[in-house]
Amino acid sequence: MTPCPGESVTAMPPIKRRYLPSLGAFATFEIAAKHLSFTLAAKELNVTQGAVSQQIRLLERALEVPLFVRKHNALELTPEGAGLFHAVTAGLDTISAAVSVLAGDEGPQTVTISATDAMASYWLKPLIDSFRLDHPGIGFVVLASDADDTLRNYSEVDIAILCGNERCEVGEELHFLFQEIAQPVCSPGFLAEHGPFDAADDLNQVNLLHLHDRHWSADAIGWQPLGWAEWFRAQGAEWAKAPSSLSTNKVSLLMNATLKGEGVMLGWHHMVRPAIADGQLVFAHPAPITAGRGNFLNCRKKSLKRAGVGAFVEHVLAALRAQGQG
């Protein structure tokens, strides 16, 4: 700025940067803070848990402030740690973006998504297939598990499919997808041979395929069951719990058995919609049931800056709008 005549100019003192620990120490801290676990941080970094713990102790010593509250089998960020976590995340994102510009790299044409097994197979994969018809150059990495809820926290995951309460952290963007609704379904042949099922209790007379309790207690699921007991109760009836030809913790096994005409399963609307549309399955009873919980698309904001990720998110939301769910 040009000074006015007669006005003196005071030079701004140079910004002094105190000694900073290594960038690697801050990167390790960010991963440990994200997981709130030195063990999971070590797994992601492919080093030992002791190496992570040692690096965090050295960082705390250099900064002369505790970053974590260490409890029995648990970690919590101190207020100073929480502030540093947000600053380090923003700083590393800025550095990564600058390096990409210098390298002329617009970002890898790969979208990485985490989900439960059934969501990945019956809801996500058809959307990936339809998206790639117009975007054949974009690849996908799908990390599917009913046993590992920490997959969503891994740094390479761009999008996480979540069910239950809304969970959104700093640097994330959350989109509501749909309510979780289930309804009895079977093959057309099974309905013709054993139906119709006009009353809820009529279903107690046939083979009911159902999810085992182990499914609902899996670490990546861990929410209240939505099974035959809940469905019958909602209809003012009671599940007889007759022996079933198949009880399993895997939705895919139930789907295969139902498609083969072995019995009736509770089909989640978002998973059975394609099979209903092409006539492979039909609704065995008109009454649906909802658990009162929603499904969400959780996106990393820095990932959305990549054209492929942003385009896929819009493809998903457009598909839901076309189905009257968005």
Side-chain angles (χ1 to χ4, degrees):
M1 183 176 67
T2 303
C4 297
E7 184 179 30
S8 62
V9 178
T10 302
M12 294 294 293
I15 297 175
K16 295 182 179 179
R17 289 194 178 96
R18 58 170 292 176
Y19 167 76
L20 292 176
S22 71
L23 182 62
F26 286 120
T28 298
F29 164 72
E30 185 208 22
I31 294 172
K34 176 180 63 179
H35 290 296
L36 289 178
S37 167
F38 292 162
T39 300
L40 293 177
K43 182 179 178 182
E44 181 169 346
L45 291 167
N46 196 28
V47 298
T48 66
Q49 188 269 350
V52 171
S53 181
Q54 174 70 3
Q55 197 160 17
I56 297 301
R57 281 197 299 270
L58 292 174
L59 181 60
E60 290 175 320
R61 189 179 304 167
L63 298 177
E64 299 180 348
V65 65
L67 301 173
F68 292 96
V69 178
R70 293 158 174 83
K71 298 184 176 181
H72 180 64
N73 293 329
L75 286 177
E76 289 183 5
L77 284 168
T78 63
E80 296 83 1
L84 183 63
F85 176 51
H86 295 149
V88 168
T89 298
L92 292 176
D93 287 349
T94 300
I95 292 171
S96 179
V99 170
S100 294
V101 171
L102 291 173
D105 180 13
E106 296 181 353
Q109 291 299 298
T110 300
V111 181
T112 302
I113 308 174
S114 69
T116 58
D117 289 338
M119 281 291 286
S121 297
Y122 299 108
W123 182 80
L124 178 61
K125 186 56 167 59
L127 286 167
I128 290 175
D129 293 344
S130 59
F131 176 78
R132 294 194 73 251
L133 292 175
D134 295 323
H135 304 83
I138 297 179
F140 285 80
V141 175
V142 178
L143 303 177
S145 176
D146 290 343
D148 189 358
D149 189 35
T150 65
L151 285 177
R152 67 180 293 261
N153 294 323
Y154 279 82
S155 57
E156 65 266 26
V157 171
D158 302 306
I159 300 169
I161 311 300
L162 308 176
C163 181
N165 296 326
E166 298 181 26
R167 290 179 287 174
C168 190
E169 306 293 339
V170 173
E172 298 177 343
E173 182 176 295
L174 200 68
H175 294 278
F176 173 77
L177 297 175
F178 41 74
Q179 291 289 336
E180 185 173 312
I181 302 173
Q183 190 170 344
V185 297
C186 64
S187 69
F190 188 91
L191 182 64
E193 182 179 352
H194 301 279
F197 307 108
D198 298 320
D201 195 55
D202 291 341
L203 286 172
N204 272 320
Q205 311 307 313
V206 297
N207 187 35
L208 297 182
L209 311 169
H210 63 93
L211 284 171
H212 191 272
D213 290 344
R214 182 63 184 84
H215 171 83
W216 301 106
S217 61
D219 289 340
I221 299 173
W223 49 73
Q224 291 300 311
L226 184 61
W228 283 118
E230 290 72 29
W231 184 84
F232 276 99
R233 190 178 305 120
Q235 314 316 317
E238 184 176 354
W239 179 27
K241 295 185 179 180
S244 171
S245 69
L246 180 63
S247 174
T248 175
N249 65 327
K250 293 297 183 182
V251 174
S252 59
L253 293 178
L254 287 186
M255 285 283 286
N256 289 338
T258 305
L259 288 167
K260 290 179 180 178
E262 295 179 18
V264 182
M265 70 172 282
L266 271 180
W268 281 257
H269 279 193
H270 56 282
M271 297 183 194
V272 301
R273 182 175 288 107
I276 293 289
D278 63 20
Q280 293 185 78
L281 293 176
V282 294
F283 289 117
H285 191 279
I289 181 176
T290 178
R293 55 180 171 250
N295 288 265
F296 299 87
L297 195 73
N298 185 292
C299 317
R300 294 186 189 276
K301 288 183 179 178
K302 66 178 181 180
S303 296
L304 290 172
K305 296 177 183 178
R306 303 202 325 260
V309 177
F312 181 69
V313 170
E314 180 52 39
H315 177 76
V316 171
L317 299 179
L320 291 175
R321 289 193 294 268
Q323 295 168 4
Q325 298 183 61

